[in-house]
Amino acid sequence: MGAGAPRGAGGPADGGGLRASLSGLTTRGRSFVAAGLAASICAYVLGQGALLRVGLLLAVLPLICVYALHRTRYRVSGSRRLSPGRVPAGAEARVQLRMDNVSRLPTGLLMLQDRVPYVLGPRPRFVLDRVEPGGRREVSYRVRSDLRGRYPLGPLQLRLTDPFGLVELTRSFSSYDTLTVVPRTEPLPPVRLTGESNGYGDGSRRSLALAGDDDVIPRGYRRGDDLRRVHWRSTARYGELMVRREEQPQRSRATVLLDTRRLAFDGAGPDSAFEWAVSAAASSLVHVLEQGFSARLLTDAGTSVPGDGAGGFSAGGQESAEAAGLMMDTLAVIGHSDGAGLSRAYDAVRGAGGFGEGGGDGLLVAFLGDTDDVQTELAAKMRQRTSGAVAFVLDTAAWGGAPAPGHVVPPLEERLRRLHEAGWTALAVRPGTAFAELWRQAGAARAGTGTSGGRE
């Protein structure tokens, strides 16, 4: 690629005009021009013809290089492949860059550079030798971040230089990719946190009653369907092959409530109480989905993710995997809210889209920061709409935090006691605590074989 625009990776870059190419003169090139002009002036004043020719050569050579580089019309296409596009904090992702010379001319020396945020590491730079017409070059680098978030990669930049190093032009491609760094998760032991629930999860398996022949709701035939499931009456009626829907067991529901209020957590950073809560919420979501629950992520603002379906819960099959990705993407960028209370979350839990008729078919897992008397009472009432409720109450004072001015927070033991009296399995969370161990303790306390952290 000379002055011609690079193609690929989202489209051609801005090649600029001749004036823009002149701005690409390096320090060496500008020095040549300055020395040439100075020598030419001195030669004219002194009447030295030989020195004048040398001065003109020094001054004109960089301009010739600019024009030659500007007029060179070989084209280069570029692409980027990110694998994987979603990684947990602390893990590495591999970025592969590919450059193709799609012109009939060989390229010169190419310097390739990809723009990445500083938290992902140093900016990768590569030097590519001459690329033959129709040739290809591939290079790769790795990125990692200990901080969750969404990080743009790109745009890809190509720096072109002449053989003398007098001119250097930079061209940028137009597209970029996004690396999503999700919170770290840890495997959790399978424990029973609800009563005898209906459907999947840690309760019994209850299938829906089989519909009678007149109540069958068929669907169109899909490749791979068992022909024994063809519903011939509907096939004759609709004029196309129809099959009976598979009867699915009813799936128990689980809500993971994350308190994100700014006044509930003091401090930020990878070792803060809030980051512990985010990581633990992610671990809980992954675990309940693996156990067959329909799950949702709920925040103090009343926001429910994935948000589709009944009450915002995930569905089964492939949709469950997509919902899990959406919830993890949400946790990757979630931050503190400016909310003052848990009333919206309470409304979402007790609403019609909560845990089903009577509220007896759902698990509620809550991660709470500092709560005053009103919010503690509100959280206690959420237990009424669930068949099981577990609260992990973070001792933010142990993390070095302090309540916000004017925010009166009862002692941690008092908050745990009130939650326990309302039927919660409540445990205190202090720095350095492994969430898997707390999860095991919650299961033991629920089964009556251990000591509830709510009484600590």
Side-chain angles (χ1 to χ4, degrees), residues 316-398:
Q318 181 63 27
E319 294 181 3
S320 180
E322 295 175 356
L326 181 58
M327 288 185 282
M328 295 302 287
D329 289 348
T330 301
L331 288 175
V333 297
I334 200 168
H336 291 296
S337 72
D338 295 326
L342 302 173
S343 58
R344 293 182 179 178
Y346 174 74
D347 292 339
V349 170
R350 73 184 182 92
F355 293 114
E357 297 296 333
D361 188 34
L363 169 66
L364 176 61
V365 181
F367 297 90
L368 304 174
D370 291 336
T371 54
D372 57 21
D373 289 330
V374 175
Q375 305 312 317
T376 301
E377 183 65 25
L378 204 58
K381 292 180 179 179
M382 295 183 191
R383 174 64 178 88
Q384 302 171 2
R385 301 291 298 178
T386 67
S387 61
V390 181
F392 298 95
V393 184
L394 280 80
D395 185 4
T396 58

Side-chain angles (χ1 to χ4, degrees), residues 21-22 25-26 28-34 55-69 162 164 166-167:
S21 299
L22 285 172
L25 283 171
T26 63
R28 180 185 299 178
R30 296 176 188 273
S31 299
F32 265 59
V33 174
L56 291 177
L57 176 62
L58 292 176
V60 173
L61 181 59
L63 303 179
I64 294 176
C65 292
V66 168
Y67 182 77
L69 204 58
D162 67 288
F164 304 104
L166 303 177
V167 185

Side-chain angles (χ1 to χ4, degrees), residues 45 116 128 152 181 188 260 288 365 397:
V45 173
V116 300
L128 304 181
V181 180
L188 303 179
T260 64
V288 296
V365 181

Side-chain angles (χ1 to χ4, degrees), residues 235-295:
T235 298
R237 177 180 179 182
Y238 293 104
E240 61 177 314
L241 207 56
M242 307 292 288
V243 296
R244 293 182 176 88
R245 295 180 183 270
E246 293 180 345
E247 307 299 340
Q248 297 289 345
Q250 185 175 351
R251 299 166 64 87
S252 294
R253 294 174 173 178
T255 293
V256 175
L257 171 62
L258 178 61
D259 184 5
T260 64
R261 295 172 299 137
R262 190 181 306 277
L263 54 80
F265 297 92
D266 182 58
D271 297 326
S272 65
F274 181 70
E275 288 301 319
W276 190 98
V278 172
S279 179
S283 300
S284 301
L285 286 169
V286 171
H287 179 74
V288 296
L289 287 171
E290 290 176 346
Q291 295 300 310
F293 283 83
S294 292

Side-chain angles (χ1 to χ4, degrees), residues 23 44 56 69 99 135 146 186 262 277 293 314 330 348 383 409:
S23 64
Y44 177 78
L56 291 177
L69 204 58
M99 304 300 299
D146 293 326
E186 55 182 303
R262 190 181 306 277
F293 283 83
S314 64
T330 301
R383 174 64 178 88
V409 179

